[in-house]
Amino acid sequence: MAEASAPGKAILLGEHAVVYGEPAIAVALDLRTYVTTVPRPGGITVHGEPLQDKLFPHLRKAVEMTGARDVELRIESELPSSAGLGSSAALSCAALGALLRSRGHDVRASEVARLAFDIELATQEGRASPTDTTTSAAGGGVLVDSAPGPGLLWSFERNGKRWHLHRVPVPELTLVVGMSGQRGRTSEQVARVAQVVQRDGLGTVRELGDIARAGAKALAAKDQEELGRLMDRAHAGLRTLGVSTPRLDELVQAARAHSYGAKLTGAGGGGSIIALTREPERVVHVLESKQCPALVAKLTPRGVEAAP
Ligand code: PMV
């Protein structure tokens, strides 16, 4: 038997702008996906059923990459799916961890990040950045940038694009995640932003990049008030890019009453908001009063981990 787990993520700053070479910051959330493998003759099964590629495309790829055979996979997750919290990246990383361990290999974050990114690329028709997968594999805070700098973890080049993934120190923060209940498709939102950029130029994208750069400094200075202000500004920029919705605006507005700042997180068009706060219960309460399921998410330095 082999076991591994990996965390979900939230993008603190820089989503969408990162597609245009600006920096983004993501943090690993203390909500994990666990995968256990049990040797069992009869091919690859998931909870006793033959692995269905349509249901679990990430697992199929992970099985192919690790050359696993005759294995039963069991999955448990604390992460809601389709909420922009990186549940598919966490599943890829945890499955790779468990499968590599079951084959007698060491589980290294750098290798899991690389393989999990290739899984995302294969399952999302080439439209993926390594943000989610590296944050899940490495844990903690991750800065994605187009140039290498201090704290470099690793770099990837795919289809002529290059990403440099860095470690950013993150103080203890409490985020409340509010799930809008709307489903936002990342590829649609990225296409929408492309239209706005074509019409209006790169001004807002550059501004979002500047906000993410300032965010890295605020994190280093453990300045939650400044970080909150930057999150508010980032939400305004994302609105200008057309990826917010009236529902997301309403939730962000409601959360701000008890927060340093709040914004949509990830691709937008639905998905989740995050609020940085010292009063998580009050924020959860105010969101729930708007029929928005909410949870308190602590951050974690723990990335992919395999049981010894
Ligand atoms: O949908 P998410 O939470 O993985 O966020 C997508 C982030 C974007 O910047 C919109 C796209 C990307 O690939 O970086």
Side-chain angles (χ1 to χ4, degrees):
M1 226 167 97
E3 243 180 78
S5 68
K9 69 91 191 49
I11 298 182
L12 272 189
L13 294 166
E15 53 272 90
H16 286 291
V18 70
V19 174
Y20 297 85
E22 296 292 334
I25 302 170
V27 289
L29 300 180
D30 198 13
L31 296 167
R32 301 180 75 83
T33 295
Y34 300 81
V35 174
T36 308
T37 63
V38 185
R40 175 153 304 163
I44 309 290
T45 53
V46 181
H47 296 287
E49 301 289 329
L51 169 59
Q52 290 187 45
D53 296 3
K54 268 227 161 89
L55 266 183
F56 294 112
H58 299 77
L59 290 185
R60 169 59 67 198
K61 285 274 159 207
V63 164
E64 281 171 18
M65 282 173 166
T66 52
R69 263 181 282 146
D70 294 333
V71 154
E72 155 95 359
L73 292 155
R74 294 177 193 157
I75 308 160
E76 273 173 59
S77 188
E78 299 160 354
L79 279 159
S81 64
S82 304
L85 300 180
S87 61
S88 62
L91 177 60
S92 295
C93 288
L96 286 164
L99 288 164
L100 287 168
R101 180 49 58 93
S102 76
R103 310 269 296 155
H105 299 295
D106 284 341
V107 175
R108 279 176 291 123
S110 56
E111 192 191 3
V112 169
R114 177 177 61 80
L115 294 173
F117 179 36
D118 283 330
I119 290 178
E120 294 263 295
L121 280 172
T123 52
Q124 293 178 32
E125 293 148 38
R127 278 190 294 267
S129 80
T131 313
D132 293 21
T133 40
T134 280
T135 307
S136 183
V142 169
L143 170 77
V144 189
D145 211 342
S146 58
L152 184 69
L153 283 167
W154 44 73
S155 305
F156 296 120
E157 190 172 344
R158 301 283 186 284
N159 312 323
K161 278 199 195 165
R162 205 173 280 172
W163 294 271
H164 301 280
L165 291 305
H166 305 78
R167 167 66 70 220
V168 276
V170 176
E172 226 170 82
L173 305 175
T174 302
L175 293 175
V176 171
V177 179
M179 287 156 280
S180 71
Q182 300 170 320
R183 253 194 105 141
R185 283 183 66 93
T186 301
S187 56
E188 276 169 25
Q189 301 309 313
V190 170
R192 179 189 288 264
V193 170
Q195 281 179 357
V196 174
V197 164
Q198 202 168 29
R199 194 186 65 207
D200 302 337
L202 279 166
T204 305
V205 163
R206 298 280 177 255
E207 193 191 330
L208 287 168
D210 289 341
I211 291 171
R213 275 181 210 94
K217 288 194 185 132
L219 280 174
K222 303 188 178 164
D223 187 343
Q224 299 209 38
E225 280 168 19
E226 169 68 357
L227 192 58
R229 280 193 291 272
L230 292 166
M231 287 168 65
D232 287 350
R233 279 180 58 203
H235 185 76
L238 290 163
R239 271 190 73 172
T240 306
L241 292 180
V243 297
S244 192
T245 64
R247 175 74 169 152
L248 291 171
D249 290 343
E250 180 197 8
L251 298 174
V252 161
Q253 197 56 41
R256 277 182 187 152
H258 307 291
S259 302
Y260 295 114
K263 63 184 275 290
L264 70 85
T265 185
S272 297
I273 66 143
I274 49 170
L276 178 64
T277 180
R278 237 187 353 209
E279 300 178 295
E281 281 75 25
R282 293 183 82 167
V283 178
V284 166
H285 182 74
V286 89
L287 291 172
E288 284 179 350
S289 75
K290 300 207 168 285
Q291 283 70 52
C292 170
L295 54 90
V296 183
K298 291 246 157 55
L299 309 193
T300 180
R302 295 169 51 206
V304 63
E305 286 177 356

